[in-house]
Amino acid sequence: MEKKKILEVKNLSVGFLSHGKKMNVIRDINLDVYEGETLAIVGESGSGKSVFTKTFTGMLDANGYISNGSIMFDGIDLATLKKPKDWLGIRGKRIATIFQDPMTSLNPLFSIGYQISEVLRIHHKLSKEEAKKEAINLLKKVRIPDAEKRFNDYPFQYSGGMRQRVVIAIALACRPEILICDEPTTALDVTVQAQILDLIKELQEEYKWTTIFITHDLGVVANVADRVAVMYGGQIVEYGTVEDIFYRSAHPYTWALLASLPQLGSKEDPLSYIPGNPPTFTSEIIGDAFAIRNKYAMRIDFLIEPPMFKISETHSAKTWLLDPRAPKVEKPAIIKNLSKRIEQVSNELKKEIENGGEDKHE
Amino acid sequence: MATFLIGYTIIALIVLFVIFVILVSRRIIFKNNAKIQSIFAHPLLIYSLKRIGSALISVMLAITATYLLLRLKSTTTICQGYIENWDKLPSEVRDQRCISVLKDLGLYGDSFVEILGQIINYFYKILPFPKTICTQEIGTEPIYDAFNNLISYVKVYDCRTFIIDLGISYKATGTSSRYVIDIIFGEKMMHSFRIGIIAVIIELAIGYPLGVLMAKHKDGIIDKIGKTYIISIDAIPGVAYYYIWQLLLVYIIGLENKYDPNNFATWLAPALTMGLTGMAGIALWVRRFMLDEFNSDYVKFARAKGISENRIMYTHVLRNAIVPLIRSIPTSILGALLGSFYIEKIYGVPGLGDYLIWANDNNDLYALQGIVVVSALISIIAYLAGDIVTAMVDPRVSLAAE
């Protein structure tokens, strides 16, 4: 079954100018996003996940620029849009973003109602009354109790979870084709987190948008994603379906990430972690960026960057271990019987969601 | 008589109102009447009354402190200033006259009780009760008996009834009245306010847009010029740049130097000196708060919502940047009433600032005290207004006691 590509990223590189120095933060990424799917982008802090998705809405910081490549979205190359004016019909309207911290995402001085209606009035040219009606509908959609009354409340009168619901309502307001969720649940506590994830999933089913989910929480990934792209050092090092990544992962970095899932750790053993730090981009990266932290690294990893090896139709990884000449290595023991453990974890998560789902009024 | 009636009525109404508000807010009366509760137990009203109440205590302390400081002036110097031909008078006459001058000024006596009595006397004067005060003898009037025979003469004084009495300016010259309250509100304040309000308008009308532009084009040419200007204003001591402004405005641009109350063109030089100086501070803070807000998450989110940069700037950012600044607007408008003594001295404006220096030089103690009281009251109102304005623009600020 051939799915329709909604976003096609080709050879994308992003550079930053800092103190007269160029840093290549995104290095030659190729990625397709299919219509209606939920794609999770995972990786450590500093792996370039946020920067990568910011290029889809032209929201790179002032010193960042796309140095190469293209991002095709519905016949438009987003990489060529420079002026704020060019983005007006796209950003917020067709590609919406919700950010990590709902506590600060809303303007503290404007009522919730105003901030939702504002988008409707700008993008859909609704009148004040129409916008208000629609905004109340949206508030109901994201399950804000007493929507009519709370329309005139200010952000400080809302809890963190409620504010994230409002943020989702704002993103929803324009019926976007793509919704980028930049760690939308990181700042929330676990039960609220589950509710918000649930809400996003439900609304996605109704509105049929495509979700790009940025997270470093593999538990969230297992719960929401159809496909996963693992990022490291400004590159996508492995991508595939959730099953590919969780059960058949091939890149040592993905192994290390999975192994350090706290949920998988047993009570007796110390928590597993990845030693060292992600690359800083201040000097040029030679070979595989992960090599210095990789206990499976071979000599070639320090010399030549590995190509993307195709494992199956849906699954590819960028590691020399997949080269036919490479020695056979064993995955770490902890993720070997992952399927059983994952099942346990996702069961627990589901339970959590169910429990969380009952308590709608946080 | 009419003044007495009006005065007492107003006082009675104020007292009754305050008692009513207290009773309502404590839910002793009208416990279940939501409408009356929402009007008279409104947090804004209760907050204002509390603030005024506590501020009045501050005013009393300020008065006491000023009075005690004035007592430190040597009585001989004061008397010397008040008694003509001091050097030619024999010492007994001097002492006698000196005592009467000090009594007039409310400064006679050194014991604790006497000083306390004088302070309390001043409090009585400024308490808003109608009272009659007389300045000077203006003549005599014959008194007749029932059969129209002349019995004697009585002295006639120039008397007036005031609700608040700020005393008599014994040394007043060139003013139409000798009552301090008349001089301050009727004459001096008008001159100061005229200059001050033009200055405030210049300050706000240039300072705010300049700050916004500087923030919008950070490190651009406007920002660089603006920063240079702000830094030079900040770096040069006040007195110095007032003279620099005078040089520029009067001797180079050619504005009138000497203030003339009947000629608007002469008001410009002092107003511009004041406004162009004050504007620097405003621009600095507007720029700073705008830049702070630029980096906040809600701006990022607003951008992600697809809102245009201009709208983000003028609706979202500006509103947030103004909140910490708006408090100072009532202060500067009401502060305009008080004037600046430097500028009034430089341009010869006979305003309140100028009067303050004059009163101090001439040991006109009631005038001095009067200015202190008026400034203190204006500050109280200004700060209260600032709080109320802040509460109006920022929904997070609540004036409720809880």
Side-chain angles (χ1 to χ4, degrees):
Chain A
M1 190 183 76
E2 189 63 21
K3 275 186 276 181
K4 203 182 148 210
K5 286 177 193 170
I6 190 163
L7 204 66
E8 213 179 335
V9 182
K10 279 224 157 64
N11 302 102
L12 185 76
S13 293
V14 172
F16 274 86
L17 269 178
S18 170
H19 303 289
K21 252 178 147 179
K22 263 194 200 169
M23 295 191 289
N24 286 320
V25 173
I26 298 296
R27 301 181 297 139
D28 202 25
I29 289 187
N30 288 295
L31 185 71
D32 294 335
V33 183
Y34 299 102
E35 209 171 78
E37 73 169 351
T38 299
L39 171 75
I41 298 177
V42 293
E44 279 167 279
S45 306
S47 59
K49 324 181 281 281
S50 288
V51 173
F52 176 47
T53 51
K54 273 180 187 171
T55 59
F56 305 161
T57 50
M59 287 194 41
L60 287 176
D61 290 336
N63 58 343
Y65 59 95
I66 294 175
S67 52
N68 189 27
S70 64
I71 307 163
M72 294 308 291
F73 169 68
D74 194 23
I76 312 162
D77 184 0
L78 299 180
T80 60
L81 303 183
K82 291 270 165 359
K83 281 181 235 135
K85 231 199 280 169
D86 302 336
W87 283 103
L88 282 186
I90 298 171
R91 185 198 293 155
K93 193 170 184 188
R94 301 182 66 186
I95 305 178
T97 314
I98 57 183
F99 290 107
Q100 190 179 69
D101 195 351
M103 302 314 256
T104 52
S105 280
L106 297 168
N107 191 329
L109 297 185
F110 290 97
S111 71
I112 296 293
Y114 179 89
Q115 299 192 44
I116 303 177
S117 331
E118 186 183 29
V119 193
L120 293 164
R121 277 158 61 192
I122 287 172
H123 292 310
H124 295 307
K125 310 270 180 281
L126 296 185
S127 74
K128 215 173 168 187
E129 288 72 39
E130 289 171 327
K132 182 174 178 179
K133 237 171 94 190
E134 179 61 24
I136 290 174
N137 274 339
L138 287 166
L139 284 176
K140 283 181 184 156
K141 270 256 162 358
V142 294
R143 305 217 192 86
I144 300 285
D146 269 338
E148 284 92 351
K149 251 195 227 157
R150 309 230 48 183
F151 181 83
N152 288 322
D153 277 358
Y154 288 89
F156 76 96
Q157 290 158 309
Y158 277 62
S159 69
M162 299 250 276
R163 283 189 221 184
Q164 195 62 301
R165 283 163 193 271
V166 172
V167 168
I168 293 171
I170 290 171
L172 204 80
C174 294
R175 314 274 162 108
E177 289 151 64
I178 300 177
L179 179 69
I180 301 170
C181 303
D182 192 348
E183 308 202 26
T185 55
T186 310
L188 302 172
D189 66 68
V190 184
T191 40
V192 181
Q193 194 173 338
Q195 292 171 19
I196 296 290
L197 291 178
D198 229 23
L199 180 71
I200 293 175
K201 255 168 113 179
E202 258 183 64
L203 292 169
Q204 184 181 10
E205 268 161 39
E206 191 182 336
Y207 288 90
K208 312 269 183 248
W209 65 55
T210 308
T211 312
I212 298 176
F213 218 99
I214 305 171
T215 180
H216 52 236
D217 186 343
L218 285 166
V220 171
V221 174
N223 186 32
V224 300
D226 300 319
R227 286 202 313 138
V228 184
V230 181
M231 275 190 80
Y232 185 78
Q235 293 178 321
I236 289 181
V237 292
E238 183 166 8
Y239 67 83
T241 61
V242 180
E243 289 78 19
D244 288 335
I245 297 298
F246 277 82
Y247 307 142
R248 296 183 287 275
S249 55
H251 197 286
Y253 180 63
T254 316
W255 296 345
L257 271 187
L258 288 169
S260 47
L261 260 176
Q263 292 97 320
L264 297 180
S266 53
K267 276 186 182 137
E268 297 80 41
D269 302 323
L271 281 174
S272 155
Y273 66 100
I274 310 173
N277 290 310
T280 55
F281 302 108
T282 40
S283 54
E284 208 188 324
I285 296 163
I286 298 163
D288 186 345
F290 188 55
I292 31 170
R293 300 168 74 188
N294 182 3
K295 58 180 172 183
Y296 303 98
M298 298 172 288
R299 230 180 55 217
I300 191 165
D301 280 320
F302 293 95
L303 302 171
I304 301 165
E305 195 185 309
M308 196 60 107
F309 287 95
K310 196 168 183 177
I311 302 164
S312 71
E313 264 315 302
T314 53
H315 189 191
S316 296
K318 199 178 168 82
T319 169
W320 281 118
L321 289 177
L322 292 171
D323 192 276
R325 289 160 289 179
K328 273 261 160 279
V329 292
E330 286 281 302
K331 277 189 196 180
I334 189 166
I335 58 167
K336 259 186 166 172
N337 51 357
L338 196 63
S339 53
K340 225 164 60 191
R341 277 212 137 116
I342 287 282
E343 215 162 280
Q344 269 177 345
V345 171
S346 62
N347 276 343
E348 275 163 31
L349 207 77
K350 266 181 201 146
K351 245 183 244 160
E352 231 166 55
I353 291 168
E354 275 154 25
N355 292 341
E358 284 164 21
D359 179 30
K360 283 283 182 303
H361 312 273
E362 73 264 20
Chain B
M1 221 29 232
T3 324
F4 272 86
L5 204 66
I6 296 168
Y8 280 115
T9 318
I10 292 173
I11 291 155
L13 284 176
I14 293 174
V15 171
L16 281 176
F17 178 74
V18 171
I19 293 172
F20 184 71
V21 167
I22 292 172
L23 290 178
V24 171
S25 66
R26 291 273 156 89
R27 294 179 180 273
I28 295 168
I29 51 170
F30 292 111
K31 198 160 40 184
N32 302 317
N33 191 328
K35 203 169 176 191
I36 287 185
Q37 278 290 339
S38 73
I39 297 171
F40 291 99
H42 195 278
L44 200 63
L45 182 66
I46 292 170
Y47 175 80
S48 307
L49 288 179
K50 273 186 186 160
R51 274 290 296 269
I52 291 171
S54 66
L56 287 178
I57 296 173
S58 320
V59 173
M60 287 167 83
L61 287 174
I63 290 169
T64 313
T66 331
Y67 180 82
L68 292 176
L69 284 172
L70 292 177
R71 297 265 337 184
L72 293 177
K73 288 198 173 202
S74 126
T75 47
T76 330
T77 334
I78 294 173
C79 290
Q80 247 174 343
Y82 274 87
I83 297 161
E84 281 167 43
N85 303 324
W86 174 269
D87 297 329
K88 291 173 196 155
L89 292 174
S91 67
E92 308 88 65
V93 184
R94 272 187 197 173
D95 289 349
Q96 214 180 346
R97 289 208 186 165
C98 195
I99 287 169
S100 85
V101 164
L102 291 177
K103 271 184 179 161
D104 277 347
L105 292 175
L107 286 178
Y108 184 68
D110 285 326
S111 74
F112 176 75
V113 180
E114 278 165 317
I115 292 175
L116 195 68
Q118 282 151 6
I119 295 174
I120 290 171
N121 185 38
Y122 193 80
F123 286 151
Y124 166 76
K125 277 168 168 301
I126 61 164
L127 271 182
F129 285 105
K131 40 195 140 344
T132 306
I133 1 158
C134 305
T135 44
Q136 84 224 74
E137 209 179 306
I138 48 169
T140 51
E141 208 169 74
I143 291 185
Y144 302 96
D145 69 1
F147 308 101
N148 239 358
N149 299 321
L150 184 73
I151 307 169
S152 66
Y153 290 93
V154 285
K155 288 178 178 171
V156 176
Y157 295 91
D158 172 20
C159 293
R160 283 205 13 224
T161 308
F162 288 94
I163 291 177
I164 291 174
D165 169 28
L166 292 181
I168 295 157
S169 178
Y170 288 99
K171 298 201 75 181
T173 45
T175 50
S176 57
S177 163
R178 295 180 72 187
Y179 298 104
V180 172
I181 193 158
D182 276 355
I183 298 172
I184 291 179
F185 286 98
E187 295 179 32
K188 300 295 178 188
M189 199 172 262
M190 185 183 64
H191 298 297
S192 292
F193 188 65
R194 226 178 240 170
I195 305 297
I197 200 70
I198 300 173
V200 169
I201 291 168
I202 293 171
E203 231 171 75
L204 299 179
I206 303 180
Y208 272 86
L210 180 67
V212 170
L213 277 178
M214 283 168 72
K216 195 175 177 190
H217 308 286
K218 186 172 174 269
D219 295 327
I221 183 80
I222 297 175
D223 190 27
K224 280 186 178 139
I225 295 172
K227 268 198 293 200
T228 315
Y229 178 74
I230 292 167
I231 290 169
S232 25
I233 291 284
D234 267 358
I236 303 171
V239 200
Y241 56 64
Y242 288 150
Y243 283 109
I244 296 174
W245 279 123
Q246 191 188 25
L247 187 77
L248 209 77
L249 293 170
V250 175
Y251 299 104
I252 296 178
I253 295 175
L255 291 173
E256 285 293 329
N257 191 18
K258 182 78 182 74
Y259 169 83
D260 172 6
N262 302 317
N263 181 359
F264 178 76
T266 63
W267 306 355
L268 286 177
L272 279 168
T273 303
M274 215 166 172
L276 293 175
T277 308
M279 154 209 134
I282 291 183
L284 175 76
W285 287 104
V286 171
R287 173 184 182 274
R288 188 238 140 125
F289 284 125
M290 291 280 285
L291 288 178
D292 276 2
E293 296 297 328
F294 267 149
N295 298 323
S296 59
D297 286 352
Y298 72 81
V299 170
K300 233 169 51 182
F301 185 60
R303 213 169 271 148
K305 272 156 77 173
I307 295 173
S308 70
E309 286 298 315
N310 272 339
R311 197 184 153 83
I312 292 177
M313 176 96 188
Y314 294 114
T315 326
H316 289 261
V317 173
L318 192 59
R319 175 93 183 259
N320 277 277
I322 279 179
V323 165
L325 292 167
I326 201 139
R327 185 184 295 271
S328 69
I329 291 179
T331 320
S332 45
I333 292 173
L334 286 167
L337 289 168
L338 300 174
S340 146
F341 60 87
Y342 269 136
I343 286 166
E344 295 186 354
K345 199 96 205 148
I346 293 172
Y347 293 98
V349 183
L352 213 51
D354 181 60
Y355 188 49
L356 177 69
I357 295 178
W358 176 88
N360 185 51
D361 289 349
N362 290 285
N363 292 316
D364 198 335
L365 300 183
Y366 277 119
L368 218 50
Q369 281 272 48
I371 297 170
V372 171
V373 173
V374 170
S375 324
L377 287 174
I378 286 176
S379 308
I380 292 167
I381 298 167
Y383 280 110
L384 182 63
D387 282 354
I388 292 172
V389 171
T390 308
M392 269 157 42
V393 294
D394 190 343
R396 289 166 299 184
V397 176
S398 147
L399 298 178
E402 288 81 27

